[in-house]
Amino acid sequence: PYQMPTTESSSPVKLTDRGVDLPDDGVFSRPTIITNSRVDMTIEFEQGTQVKMNNGEIFAGKIKQGSKILSTRLPKEIPDNQKFILGFNLGGNIHLNFNKKVKITIDLPTEYQSKDVFTVYYYNDKTDEYELINSDNVSYSDDGKQLLVMLDHFSQFIVVDTEEQEDIVDNNTDENNTDENNTDADVDIDDEDKDQEIDLPKDAREHWAKNYFEKLMKKGAIKGDGRTGLILPNNYIKRVEALKMVAITLDKEVQGCTEAPFKDVDKDSWYCPYVQLAKEEGWVNGYEKNGEVLFQPSKTIKRGQALKILLLASGVDTEAIELDGQEFKDVKNTDWFARVVKYASDNGFVGGYSDKTFKPLSPITRAEFAKILGAIAQ
């Protein structure tokens, strides 16, 4: 490996198929680019980047060039059965953290180039969960052939395809998901004491959305995962989770199911009453597949679709919303979600991303959904 000098220089160090040994202060004294030609991956460190381990101690060891992970070697199943595109391992078995973000550039498989529909997770071995990498830190090369990810730590990462998979009836654009396990499934409709003292699960206590989760927990609209007790704020929310949160937060009258509202919804399932309510009130219409209209209860929800459900549930006449220009550059007046995005933006429910986009076709996280629901419910 290359031995990083202790003297500073602005001249970049370019390494191919070799790592770098850091000095005792754990600092990259000069810009460094490490390329792994075997897996078409490049790692770029800014000058002055310092590396520490999870315990806060300075890391003065070897930084490797990274490697890809096969789908058969993942630490656990991918979220929501989304389509696996590629995985990569950085740092080996050592968890490393950086004071400056590190840029990872990965060549995309030919069939996925220029699609701009990917989501990146990292594996948190403490919670045994995949955590979402904020979309602000994920971008693409101008020619669409490379994925660019900005990271402040090394771990195992996966890239999944969140592109629309089915023809749909109500203009929703969710990715495939067949996992029926729901993080709120153990909460009955009427069994919550709304005045109880709330003890937030540990993964939400320092989260930016903790105040929204507290309010939802007091309403009985959300509860920790039945297995881990966690809120999982950065995980994508599922259709049935969202409907339950909306119905309870907006004090809707939820009744039991006498028959299945959709062919793929079991009338005895915990979520059937919420799906039935949403169908009756026109929040959802379902998906068309092989001549049948299905609900696909465990599919995740895109940001545009989430706004539509939230506004319809709160009584907004979405068809009456006037269009006089859009705040976000990725929303056109001809888009099916244009009116709901316009209304939500004008009323301060959403603010979009720093690059002036809203990403209406990207999945929405539990934290993001909780925030918008809280704003609309006020």
Side-chain angles (χ1 to χ4, degrees), residues 265-321:
V265 174
D266 186 340
K267 72 179 182 65
D268 296 322
S269 64
W270 69 266
Y271 53 80
C272 183
Y274 303 107
V275 179
Q276 177 176 268
L277 171 69
K279 182 181 180 183
E280 290 175 351
E281 295 205 356
W283 312 347
V284 298
N285 297 316
Y287 294 75
E288 183 178 354
K289 183 176 181 180
N290 299 327
E292 296 179 325
V293 178
L294 306 177
F295 179 67
Q296 298 179 321
S298 289
K299 287 173 73 81
T300 53
I301 296 182
K302 298 297 197 302
R303 291 164 58 83
Q305 176 200 1
L307 288 184
K308 181 179 178 182
I309 290 175
L310 287 166
L311 294 182
L312 287 173
S314 62
V316 175
D317 183 357
T318 58
E319 294 303 317
I321 299 172

Side-chain angles (χ1 to χ4, degrees), residues 190-243:
D190 297 313
D191 68 351
E192 286 292 311
D193 177 5
K194 297 178 175 57
D195 296 322
Q196 65 179 306
E197 192 71 22
I198 295 300
D199 182 20
L200 272 180
K202 61 183 180 180
D203 65 332
R205 292 170 192 164
E206 302 299 326
H207 197 275
W208 62 263
K210 65 179 181 180
N211 293 335
Y212 303 105
F213 286 125
E214 282 183 349
K215 292 178 180 179
L216 291 173
M217 290 187 75
K218 287 180 180 179
K219 292 281 288 187
I222 191 171
K223 191 175 181 179
D225 175 73
R227 181 174 60 86
T228 65
L230 302 177
I231 289 290
L232 307 176
N234 296 324
N235 281 16
Y236 294 137
I237 193 167
K238 300 173 185 177
R239 291 167 66 84
V240 289
E241 291 176 336
L243 294 185

Side-chain angles (χ1 to χ4, degrees), residues 46-66:
E46 288 187 31
Q47 181 183 6
T49 299
Q50 186 176 48
V51 187
K52 293 185 177 181
M53 295 181 288
N54 271 356
N55 61 8
E57 294 182 2
I58 291 174
F59 179 76
K62 180 180 178 181
I63 300 288
K64 298 180 180 180
Q65 65 265 38

Side-chain angles (χ1 to χ4, degrees), residues 165-210:
Q165 299 294 328
E166 301 290 347
D167 293 329
I168 51 181
V169 174
D170 58 352
N171 289 324
N172 299 332
T173 51
D174 292 321
E175 69 275 11
N176 279 344
N177 179 355
T178 58
D179 179 10
E180 294 294 332
N181 294 320
N182 179 272
T183 58
D184 300 316
D186 55 348
V187 181
D188 294 330
I189 295 173
D190 297 313
D191 68 351
E192 286 292 311
D193 177 5
K194 297 178 175 57
D195 296 322
Q196 65 179 306
E197 192 71 22
I198 295 300
D199 182 20
L200 272 180
K202 61 183 180 180
D203 65 332
R205 292 170 192 164
E206 302 299 326
H207 197 275
W208 62 263
K210 65 179 181 180

